[in-house]
Amino acid sequence: MARILVTGGTGYIGSHTTVELMQQGYDVTIVDNLSNSSIDVLDGIAAIVGKKPDFANIDCGNFVDLDAVFKQYPDIVGVIHFAASKAVGESVEKPLLYYRNNLGSLCTLLEVMRLHQVTNLVFSSSCTVYGQPDAAHLPVDETAPIQAALSPYGNTKQINEEIIRDEAHADKTLNATILRYFNPIGAHPSAHIGELPNGVPQNLLPFITQTATGLRPELKVFGNDYNTPDGSCIRDYIYVVDLAKAHVKAIDRMLNAADREQVEVFNLGTGTGLSVLTLINEFEAATGVKIPYTIVGRREGDIEQVWAAPKKANEVLGWKADTPIRDVLASAWKWEKRIRNIK
Ligand code: NAD
Ligand code: WQD
C-alpha cells in the first residue's frame, strides 16, 4: 500500500489523520520535532489502530534530516503538511519564530519533495485567510476574497498558500490540495488521542472543558454585543475526526482522480455557524455539566461571524462533516476527563 508522510503527525489534527489513514490501509511515516506534542501520542494511535506509525523526531526545516527520511522511505507517494506553530497570540509576540518555522519548513519540504519526485502535497490552511467576510460572502466558499491577515500566524498561512502556487507554477508535476479548516474541536471517541493545549487554552472548547473540570474557575465570554442573534461570535466548529477523514479523501483524490486541477482549495466546515453561548448550552446538554461563565469585553482582533460553505468539499471530495455537535462535545469531555484522571 502507498505510504504517506505526515509532518506534525503527533499533533492534534495530525494524530487523528494518521489514525484515519492507517485505518484506510495507508502506511504512515510521521515527522515531528515534538515542539507542541508528546511522543506518547504514538501509543494512543497504536491503541486505536493496533500498531504504531513509523516516526522520526526531526525538524521539518532541516534539509539534511528530511532528505534522510525520504531516502529511508522511497515508497512515499504523498505528504500531508501539518507541522507549524499555530498560536495566534504568540505569533504577535514572536513573529520571526512564526515566519521562520512556518515558511522555512514548507520551503524545505517542497525542495526535498522535488528532489525525490514526490508530487502530492496536502496543506493545512485556515479560514483565517478570509478574515471577516462581508454579508454577501457568508457562508464562505472558496471564491471569497482573501483579506489582510490579522496576525503573523494568519499571514504565514496566506504566504504558504502563495509559496505552494508559485512552486506549482514552476514545477508542473507538483499537485497540491489546500485545505482551509474552520474551527476543529473534539477528540477521538476512544479518548486515546485528543487536543493537548499548552498552558492556558486560547481556544474556546479546551477552555470550556478545563472549566468543567474545575481547573479554571470560569469561562470568559468575549463579547455579547456583536451583530448576531444572541450577541456572541459565531464560528463553524468541525469535529476533528470528520476533518481527519477529509484528508484521506484529499489523498485518495490526488492519487486516483484524472480530472483534478493542479492546485485545489477546499473549505472544511460543517456549513452551520454556532454562537459561543450556543456552544456552552450544547456542552451542558451533552455532558450534564454546568459551565460557570461571565460576559466580558470583546477580544481584540476577533471576527464577528464566519462559517463555511462546504459544498465543493461535499461534492468533489465526496466528504461531509456530519457528526452531531453533542457527540463532538461529549468526545471532548471524555478526553478531558481521561487526561485529568476524572471518573
Ligand atoms: P499542533 O500544534 O497540535 O500540531 C502541529 C505539530 O507540528 C506539533 O506536533 C508540533 O510539534 C509539530 N511541529 C511544529 N513545527 C515543526 C517543525 N518545524 N518540524 C517538525 N514538527 C513541527 O496543531 P494542530 O492544531 O494539529 O494544527 C495542525 C495544522 O493545522 C497547523 O498547520 C495549523 O496551523 C493548522 N490549523 C489548525 C487549526 C486549529 O484550530 N487547530 C485551524 C486551522 C489550521
Ligand atoms: C472561538 C470563539 C472567541 C475563548 C482561532 C484562530 C484561527 C484558527 C482557529 C488556526 C470566539 C470565543 C474563546 C474564550 C471566548 N486557528 N472565546 N472565550 O478565534 O475562531 O480562531 O482558532 O488557523 O486562526 O484565531 O477560535 O477558539 O479562539 O474562539 O468567548 O476563553 O470563542 O471570542 O468568538 P477563533 P477560538
Side-chain angles (χ1 to χ4, degrees), residues 138-252:
L138 271 177
V140 190
D141 71 17
E142 294 78 0
T143 65
I146 304 296
Q147 303 206 50
L150 291 169
S151 70
Y153 165 75
N155 205 22
T156 68
K157 290 295 170 193
Q158 296 194 4
I159 300 171
N160 275 321
E161 290 197 11
E162 288 169 9
I163 290 171
I164 290 168
R165 283 182 201 286
D166 288 348
E167 178 64 4
H169 179 73
D171 174 3
K172 298 288 183 245
T173 68
L174 176 67
N175 294 309
T177 305
I178 292 170
L179 302 178
R180 294 180 181 148
Y181 315 153
F182 281 65
N183 289 59
I185 59 167
H188 195 270
S190 65
H192 286 304
I193 54 173
E195 190 172 8
L196 278 172
N198 231 334
V200 181
Q202 305 301 306
N203 293 115
L204 179 60
L205 189 58
F207 207 105
I208 289 178
T209 54
Q210 289 194 9
T211 306
T213 67
L215 191 65
R216 312 269 160 216
E218 64 169 15
L219 170 72
K220 293 185 168 51
V221 173
F222 298 136
N224 69 345
D225 56 354
Y226 285 99
N227 185 23
T228 60
D230 66 19
S232 65
C233 291
I234 291 176
R235 297 288 185 274
D236 188 333
Y237 295 97
I238 174 169
Y239 185 35
V240 68
V241 174
D242 288 337
L243 183 63
K245 288 178 177 163
H247 292 75
V248 182
K249 295 281 191 185
I251 285 287
D252 289 346

Side-chain angles (χ1 to χ4, degrees), residues 2-5 29 69-70 73-79 116-118:
R3 180 173 297 276
I4 305 300
L5 182 77
T29 297
V69 171
F70 277 76
Y73 298 99
D75 55 340
I76 293 172
V77 294
V79 179
H116 291 269
Q117 293 169 342
V118 174

